[in-house]
Amino acid sequence: MNENIKQRLNKFGKEKEPFLFILSYDLQKAYIEKLSSTKIKYRFHDKNRLSNIDKNRVFELKKYPQSFQEYKNKFDILKQNLDKNIISLANLTSQTRIDLNCTLDEVFENSNALLNLRINTKDENFVCFSPEKFIEIIDNKLFTYPMKGTIKADIIDAKKKLLNSKKEIEEHKTVVELLKNDLELENSFSNIVLEEFRYIDKISTKNGDLLQTSSKISASCKDNYIENIGDIFSKILPAGSITGMPKNISKEILDDIEDYDRGFYCGIFAIFDGKNLQSFVLIRFIEEINGEFFYKSGGGITKNSDEKQEYEELIEKIYLPF
């Protein structure tokens, strides 16, 4: 992590005034602002919230994905490293050009994902509708929910196939162990426990529902954890779910083969309300670059991965959240 960002986070934490922060994937860019003065637009899931969608309006998203061969070339490099046991998991992502018949503001206003985030500055213009929590700390108790494994809900026996897939089990187990190991290396946490392994969430999209598996890990926190929040996040980021295992090696390989800059995609949004903290991984991400829209998506690759299925999953994750 950029040293200045880490020091600023620790300073805000020591002041204990409510604040939020957004970190890029490479931990070199950040927004860190007090809640009392922030202009960043964000909203959390509210099951009672009425959608503002005009029922007569048809929202459309058209995808222009990379060719299967382009994807396979990257997949094959990862597979070689997996077969040689250099890595056991890598999260391969891509930037797909899309057409929208709506604005990013409209996507933000109509989405009711777990986290809805809108950034529009001279340097960044994106919307994120993330279904993935990273860590939350409530009354000095930490909870984290690693998410790995996706299938279309309308597939016959989708839930059974997802839960029994050898590839998905292996991938999910790797991410869980990686996150547990990260927490164990940070002395602000203790009593780390895997409370629930691979439960299913349903994600609603314009093109149908998706099923995704998550797990629940808990830990105890030191009373003054927020005073060292910069040090904590610098040690446990980037998240294992969007890099791989081992984290540093998989990240280096991905940096070489991914032909675009992730930017804030796969970064973190976090908010401290003066007592508790919650954070989210910035996935499900649309960005405007030079007047064009791009959707950033990806998925985990293991030894048991099939390149065709992974390519299709990457494209299926390109959707509007309503």
Side-chain angles (χ1 to χ4, degrees):
M1 178 184 288
N2 179 295
E3 189 64 27
N4 180 56
I5 293 174
K6 182 166 68 174
Q7 292 176 1
R8 288 172 61 202
L9 285 174
N10 287 339
K11 178 178 180 295
F12 272 65
K14 288 173 182 175
E15 292 173 354
K16 293 187 173 61
E17 181 177 342
F19 69 101
L20 64 76
F21 56 96
I22 308 170
L23 304 176
S24 64
Y25 168 69
D26 63 5
L27 306 179
Q28 297 303 303
K29 295 187 291 185
Y31 294 91
I32 308 172
E33 299 182 2
K34 294 181 179 180
L35 290 188
S36 59
S37 58
T38 185
K39 295 182 180 179
I40 290 173
K41 296 169 68 174
Y42 65 91
R43 188 180 68 253
F44 302 124
H45 174 69
D46 178 2
K47 64 181 180 181
N48 296 316
R49 180 177 180 269
L50 294 177
S51 174
N52 293 322
I53 296 178
D54 180 350
K55 301 303 181 183
N56 296 316
R57 172 83 181 275
V58 177
F59 289 89
E60 295 180 343
L61 181 156
K62 188 172 183 179
K63 313 172 188 181
Y64 303 92
Q66 64 186 309
S67 69
F68 173 67
Q69 187 59 53
E70 289 175 309
Y71 178 83
K72 186 176 183 301
N73 291 340
K74 302 169 190 174
F75 179 95
D76 287 345
I77 294 173
L78 292 179
K79 199 68 165 59
Q80 292 168 12
N81 284 276
L82 289 161
D83 290 341
K84 293 176 181 178
N85 295 317
I86 296 172
I87 56 175
S88 58
L89 170 69
N91 195 73
L92 179 60
T93 75
S94 180
Q95 177 173 271
T96 300
R97 188 173 72 82
I98 62 172
D99 285 339
L100 291 173
N101 70 339
C102 59
T103 66
L104 297 188
D105 286 327
E106 287 177 305
V107 175
F108 172 81
E109 291 299 334
N110 289 299
S111 172
N112 201 20
L114 277 180
L115 167 71
N116 304 282
L117 175 65
R118 179 75 175 100
I119 298 291
N120 188 4
T121 69
K122 65 173 183 170
D123 298 314
E124 309 288 341
N125 187 14
F126 65 82
V127 63
C128 178
F129 36 97
S130 176
E132 183 174 358
K133 285 186 179 181
F134 183 46
I135 63 173
E136 61 180 357
I137 300 176
I138 303 172
D139 296 329
N140 287 342
K141 184 78 170 181
L142 177 144
F143 301 94
T144 185
Y145 310 88
M147 176 184 287
K148 270 295 173 190
T150 304
I151 193 172
K152 293 177 69 174
D154 60 1
I155 291 175
I156 296 174
D157 293 328
K159 181 176 180 180
K160 182 178 179 180
K161 288 179 179 177
L162 180 58
L163 290 177
N164 292 335
S165 166
K166 181 178 179 181
K167 180 263 178 182
E168 299 293 0
I169 294 171
E170 176 187 351
E171 181 181 348
H172 197 98
K173 183 177 180 181
T174 300
V175 171
V176 167
E177 289 303 314
L178 177 57
L179 190 45
K180 285 181 64 181
N181 291 340
D182 283 347
L183 295 176
E184 288 167 357
L185 292 173
E186 172 49 55
N187 61 15
S188 294
F189 309 127
S190 60
N191 303 320
I192 299 164
V193 176
L194 175 59
E195 293 195 1
E196 192 172 357
F197 183 67
R198 297 189 79 225
Y199 59 86
I200 287 185
D201 289 315
K202 181 182 289 187
I203 308 297
S204 296
T205 82
K206 184 178 183 297
N207 298 320
D209 294 336
L210 299 175
L211 301 182
Q212 294 193 305
T213 51
S214 299
S215 290
K216 181 180 180 180
I217 300 170
S218 67
S220 300
C221 305
K222 289 185 176 179
D223 289 343
N224 66 339
Y225 79 88
I226 194 62
E227 298 179 9
N228 304 299
I229 197 65
D231 295 277
I232 290 172
F233 273 83
S234 69
K235 290 178 182 177
I236 63 178
L237 290 177
S241 63
I242 45 77
T243 50
M245 180 71 178
K247 187 187 292 188
N248 290 339
I249 297 176
S250 61
K251 184 178 183 301
E252 288 177 3
I253 296 171
L254 291 168
D255 287 346
D256 285 338
I257 65 175
E258 291 184 346
D259 53 2
Y260 78 105
D261 179 9
R262 291 194 186 187
F264 280 91
Y265 170 61
C266 293
I268 294 293
F269 171 91
I271 186 166
F272 175 70
D273 65 8
K275 181 180 180 181
N276 301 318
L277 179 141
Q278 57 181 320
S279 62
F280 300 81
V281 184
L282 296 180
I283 57 174
R284 310 299 190 269
F285 193 101
I286 304 175
E287 184 170 4
E288 184 176 356
I289 304 173
N290 297 325
E292 294 185 307
F293 293 120
F294 293 88
Y295 196 115
K296 299 178 179 181
S297 62
I301 311 299
T302 72
K303 284 184 179 181
N304 294 315
S305 292
D306 176 84
E307 60 264 44
K308 192 67 175 179
Q309 291 180 357
E310 296 297 341
Y311 176 70
E312 291 173 354
E313 179 181 319
L314 180 145
I315 296 173
E316 286 168 3
K317 288 179 177 175
I318 302 172
Y319 63 81
L320 291 174
F322 41 79

